[in-house]
Amino acid sequence: MDDAIAEAARCLRAGGLVAFPTETVYGLGADAANAAAIRRLYAVKGRPADHPSIVHLADAGDVHDGWVAHWPESAARLAEALWPGPLTVLVDAGPRAAPETLGGTATIALRVPDQPIARALIRAAGSGVAAPSANRFGRVSPTTASHVRADLGDEVDLILDGGPCPVGVESTIIDCRTDPPRLVRPGGVSEERLESILGTALTIGTDGDVRAPGTLPAHYAPDARVLLAPDLDAARAIEARGRVALLAPSHALPSVDEANAFAIVLDAGPDAATYAQRLYALLREADSQDADVLVAIPPSGGGLAAAIRDRLERAARGASHADERT
Ligand code: TXA
Ligand code: MG
């Protein structure tokens, strides 16, 4: 792996595109300071140029190497408590990132991923690594190297395989430019945890000037039409035509000896952590088994369950709002 990381770092320094594992999802990386590399990244991903990308750093101390103009107290506290980890902070950008990385905004999104391959790669590249999730814009995020290969295979220079991502949903994004900070996207770190570290309640939602495609109403969508149901009875009551798949926590699945209307049954596991780990792979599984409709029973509760509900709700809007994806 060390040789592969060194080669991948050379590739990034030369302006190439490297897909790499993080603890949340696979990222498609390019040198955040290299405008031409970022333009190619956006072309490959099919992402509009005005959508900024998260810049990944190897260590929290690196924020001061030109990436931020100002490092608010709230960001410092969160970074101290949660980095490396699935948290992204939005702050005023320093001079180092290419304007293309920031989508023309004056804000930078930063995170130190909790994944040894990712951190070694970033350190060896000697820069910040801009990396959106390594999927085509609007589609399901990749949680294995083979997902990346299936989506973007020929168009990336190198894919580092670190196995399946342990968290499975993207980082939580928090805007630290305001006081109190604003929760922009629920994710791998719970709102409850952030509030306890900061000792204050967060504001929720974007303020309109934050361009976050992961927060567009329609995103994370498989080809199958996604419908949500609160429980198995409600899921059974949905009259959908075609091949219908059911995605549900283990406790909400039909019993094995029961005749059921679902052509495909996808087990999201016993708890929210497992549901998050499996979520994107199971959305892809529904497509590979040619489901026309995917009925999903979201998990209940706080923490990761809130991030899963957020993604499922956006996936459910995906089919009817395909135009909002690009
Ligand atoms: O877990 C994650 O966050 C993964 C891994 C690879 O780190 N990355 C990820 O990237 O989910 P992406 O691009 O799929 O979603 C990042 C979100 C987008 O909605 C983007 O618009 C927002 O972060 N974002 C990035 N930079 C920003 C900025 N400067 N201002 C406002 N929003 C920003
Ligand atoms: Mg994404």
Side-chain angles (χ1 to χ4, degrees):
M1 188 45 88
D2 288 357
D3 289 350
I5 292 172
E7 190 192 340
R10 276 194 298 276
C11 177
L12 287 175
R13 285 197 300 271
L17 302 183
V18 173
F20 63 97
T22 80
E23 77 279 37
T24 58
V25 302
Y26 276 72
L28 180 59
D31 179 350
N34 182 334
I38 301 297
R39 280 195 291 270
R40 191 175 147 221
L41 168 64
Y42 279 39
V44 164
K45 196 174 149 79
R47 183 176 201 162
D50 67 350
H51 284 76
S53 288
I54 297 173
V55 176
H56 298 71
L57 300 175
D59 289 287
D62 298 347
V63 301
H64 302 294
D65 296 343
W67 300 107
V68 306
H70 170 62
W71 190 232
E73 169 66 25
S74 58
R77 277 172 69 174
L78 292 171
E80 166 72 27
L82 297 169
W83 281 357
L87 178 76
T88 296
V89 299
L90 295 180
V91 296
D92 293 325
R96 191 146 171 208
E100 285 77 359
T101 299
L102 309 180
T105 70
T107 308
I108 189 165
L110 291 166
R111 120 172 163 91
V112 176
D114 186 14
Q115 213 291 355
I117 295 171
R119 289 179 78 193
L121 171 69
I122 300 162
R123 202 169 281 126
S127 186
V129 176
S133 51
N135 52 282
R136 298 214 188 265
F137 187 64
R139 305 311 300 268
V140 179
S141 301
T143 51
T144 67
S146 62
H147 295 163
V148 179
R149 235 168 263 126
D151 276 12
L152 304 172
D154 296 339
E155 294 178 74
V156 303
D157 297 312
L158 227 143
I159 300 174
L160 291 175
D161 188 345
C165 301
V167 176
V169 294
E170 293 81 353
S171 59
T172 302
I173 303 180
I174 185 166
D175 188 347
C176 288
R177 295 171 306 154
T178 59
D179 188 21
R182 191 181 292 267
L183 183 72
V184 175
R185 178 177 74 180
V189 176
S190 73
E191 186 185 337
E192 297 84 346
R193 184 89 198 280
L194 297 174
E195 291 183 338
S196 94
I197 291 164
L198 292 171
T200 172
L202 302 174
T203 330
I204 310 291
T206 57
D207 61 3
D209 74 333
V210 173
R211 278 177 285 204
T215 67
L216 287 177
H219 212 75
Y220 310 106
D223 292 330
R225 182 166 161 238
V226 178
L227 301 172
L228 302 185
D231 54 33
L232 184 56
D233 285 341
R236 282 200 189 95
I238 291 174
E239 287 179 28
R241 252 172 294 162
R243 245 170 104 69
V244 182
L246 173 72
L247 167 67
S250 306
H251 68 82
L253 293 174
S255 59
V256 279
D257 49 353
E258 176 189 352
N260 76 74
F262 303 104
I264 303 155
V265 172
L266 303 168
D267 182 356
D271 50 37
T274 313
Y275 202 137
Q277 265 168 12
R278 294 183 186 172
L279 175 65
Y280 292 136
L282 292 178
L283 295 181
R284 286 168 185 266
E285 178 67 19
D287 281 348
S288 70
Q289 293 201 39
D290 292 322
D292 299 299
V293 174
L294 174 68
V295 177
I297 303 178
S300 53
L304 269 180
I308 296 164
R309 287 196 299 275
D310 172 80
R311 304 304 188 269
L312 284 172
E313 282 159 15
R314 292 176 204 286
R317 278 179 293 226
S320 53
H321 293 76
D323 52 321
E324 286 178 37
R325 287 211 295 256
T326 52

